[in-house]
Amino acid sequence: MKMKSVFDAPEIKSEFESAGINPNFMIPIWKYVIQNPDCVWDEIPSLPTAAYTLLHSKFETFTSSLHSLFHSSDGTTSKLLIKLQCYLMNSYLILDLKNGAFVEAVIMRYDTRLGMCGGKPRPGGVRSTLCISSQVGCKMGCTFCATGSMGFKSNLTSGEIVEQLVHASRLADIRNIVFMGMGEPLNNYNAVVESVRAMLKQPFQLSPKRITISTVGVVHAINKLHNDLPGISLAVSLHAPVQEIRCQIMPAARAFPLQKLMDALQAFQKNSQQKIFIEYIMLDGVNDQEENAHQLGELLKTFQVVINLIPFNPIGSTSQFKTSTKQSVSIFQKILRETYNIRTTVRKEMGQDISGACGQLVVNQPDNKRPAEPLRDIEDLHL
């Protein structure tokens, strides 16, 4: 029998209710497993007898393990290579695309004092954001993204998504979650929604405003996201201001035309009353010209957005794209800020030397590096 993750909230809730067990026992079970990762079920105190039987027969404490850990040379970034569990039956491997597969999660450390609030440095100190994967591989096929080159393997369960947070929490005090790792989160909608709901509960108790879900623009899912997860932040991988360029670099854009995407974002913003983050990767000679900046400004001038310009991270010597020059990025940012009064930032890339930066997540094992100084957090963009 294929065992389920105890962090898969809908599964354990359903099984407990069917067995007449109060599903609220899920919380003390999670707390104990997080504090005692090598525990066995019988060690957890004060559970009903039926709960022990059910846990033994259908659930594992973890269905993934931390296989490898890599640190960037500047110490701001740690990449977790997480192995998904293989399931055996009668000595034969069950046919399951996730068996033995790997996903990656990235911890990014920031110093709040480097951000500004009311013209003064923010109080506090180092905090950490976790970039989470939602799929093994990705079917979106973005031509500038390493994960897209893997193709799509399978969806992660909600338990496997939550387990990334549990593994990372042993290394850092995770304050923010961004679904910007491997996969398109809204193509694994139910599991992502359930994993976020779990993260909002004890013992994690994360704030919805500190959870960001990124998408290339899966319109039908955006249309229901606010109702299912009120308060969470939305980031959109736009990457081009016109449909023609989007289709060239993002094949999935053909399924989600730009105008329909804009209509969905307008409805999301009206319902949520929240800023939307726009991710825009800068590709030399493709989408980084002054004309493109004006097109982007016109497209977004009626929205409340923060545009994040992202330097392109090469994914090998055969890449068809080049990184935009600093001058091109500066001019692009200036047009958006001064002509259209749109808050526009340039992302400070982290973890490039461990292939942990934006667009570089594909399973490999770089050399380990030593730690150093922290940087700014994505949360600063909320101010």
Side-chain angles (χ1 to χ4, degrees):
M1 176 184 291
K2 179 177 175 179
M3 305 293 276
K4 303 165 186 175
S5 169
V6 75
F7 292 99
D8 197 326
E11 290 290 343
I12 193 169
K13 183 175 184 289
S14 174
E15 293 288 354
F16 272 30
E17 287 178 341
S18 296
I21 304 167
N22 188 335
N24 289 333
F25 280 111
M26 175 174 61
I27 302 303
I29 291 171
W30 284 0
K31 287 181 178 178
Y32 194 90
V33 172
I34 290 170
Q35 295 169 1
N36 305 274
D38 298 321
C39 71
V40 295
W41 294 130
D42 293 335
E43 295 173 354
I44 303 177
S46 306
L47 297 181
T49 301
Y52 293 108
T53 303
L54 185 58
L55 290 170
H56 275 293
S57 64
K58 294 192 175 182
F59 292 95
E60 293 276 8
T61 51
F62 290 94
T63 56
S64 65
S65 59
L66 179 57
H67 179 272
S68 304
L69 177 65
F70 311 101
H71 301 293
S72 64
S73 58
D74 64 6
T76 62
T77 307
S78 297
K79 183 165 74 170
L80 291 72
L81 187 62
I82 296 172
K83 186 174 183 179
L84 305 178
Q85 183 172 317
C86 291
Y87 301 100
L88 296 175
M89 180 181 287
N90 298 327
S91 300
Y92 291 97
L93 194 65
I94 294 176
L95 293 178
D96 185 330
L97 289 173
K98 289 198 293 288
N99 280 341
F102 293 87
V103 293
E104 295 179 336
V106 179
I107 300 171
M108 298 167 285
R109 299 175 182 86
Y110 307 84
D111 191 333
T112 60
R113 294 162 294 189
L114 297 177
M116 301 298 290
C117 182
K120 298 179 181 179
R122 298 180 70 176
V126 177
R127 67 185 179 210
S128 298
T129 289
L130 178 64
C131 179
I132 278 183
S133 293
S134 55
Q135 297 179 311
V136 182
C138 183
K139 64 175 65 173
M140 295 294 97
C142 296
T143 53
F144 48 81
C145 178
T147 307
S149 68
M150 290 177 60
F152 174 72
K153 307 299 181 184
S154 66
N155 286 323
L156 298 184
T157 66
S158 66
E160 289 168 332
I161 295 172
V162 174
E163 285 182 25
Q164 294 174 63
L165 172 57
V166 178
H167 292 310
S169 294
R170 297 199 188 102
L171 303 169
D173 182 14
I174 303 300
R175 181 183 176 96
N176 301 308
I177 299 287
V178 292
F179 281 81
M180 297 181 182
M182 298 169 64
E184 163 54 57
L186 297 191
N187 267 358
N188 188 15
Y189 187 85
N190 290 337
V192 166
V193 167
E194 291 300 339
S195 69
V196 170
R197 287 172 174 166
M199 293 172 189
L200 299 177
K201 297 176 183 175
Q202 293 186 32
F204 307 107
Q205 289 187 296
L206 292 174
S207 167
K209 69 180 183 180
R210 292 192 176 130
I211 298 178
T212 301
I213 295 178
S214 177
T215 177
V216 300
V218 183
V219 171
H220 59 276
I222 293 172
N223 285 334
K224 57 182 180 176
L225 188 61
H226 173 68
N227 287 334
D228 289 335
L229 292 175
I232 63 99
S233 297
L234 178 66
V236 179
S237 296
L238 194 60
H239 303 318
V242 295
Q243 179 70 0
E244 181 182 359
I245 299 176
R246 264 177 63 86
C247 289
Q248 289 173 7
I249 61 178
M250 304 170 69
R254 295 182 178 88
F256 310 113
L258 192 57
Q259 189 54 57
K260 288 188 177 180
L261 174 57
M262 291 299 106
D263 291 343
L265 296 183
Q266 189 173 55
F268 178 89
Q269 187 150 79
K270 180 179 179 181
N271 292 331
S272 69
Q273 297 297 303
Q274 293 173 231
K275 283 187 173 69
I276 296 172
F277 295 106
I278 301 295
E279 299 169 289
Y280 194 97
I281 196 160
M282 299 292 287
L283 303 172
D284 184 43
V286 177
N287 64 352
D288 66 344
Q289 305 301 296
E290 292 184 34
E291 176 189 10
N292 303 136
H294 285 291
Q295 291 170 331
L296 185 61
E298 290 292 336
L299 183 68
L300 298 173
K301 65 183 181 182
T302 61
F303 288 84
Q304 292 296 313
V305 298
V306 176
I307 299 176
N308 198 7
L309 304 180
I310 306 170
F312 170 63
N313 293 304
I315 52 176
S317 57
T318 59
S319 175
Q320 60 181 298
F321 300 113
K322 294 181 180 179
T323 304
S324 298
T325 65
K326 289 183 179 180
Q327 182 181 14
S328 295
V329 175
S330 179
I331 293 172
F332 203 97
Q333 181 185 35
K334 184 177 181 180
I335 291 171
L336 291 169
R337 280 180 167 179
E338 297 183 3
T339 305
Y340 297 94
N341 196 30
I342 298 175
R343 184 170 183 191
T344 307
T345 64
V346 179
R347 178 176 294 178
K348 172 67 176 178
E349 285 305 309
M350 303 169 67
Q352 290 168 307
D353 57 337
I354 55 170
S355 297
C358 181
Q360 289 186 315
L361 292 191
V362 63
V363 173
N364 53 31
Q365 300 186 34
D367 294 333
N368 204 357
K369 304 289 181 180
R370 68 166 185 266
E373 297 288 322
L375 291 172
R376 293 192 186 112
D377 191 355
I378 188 173
E379 192 176 301
D380 292 335
L381 301 181
H382 287 275
L383 295 178

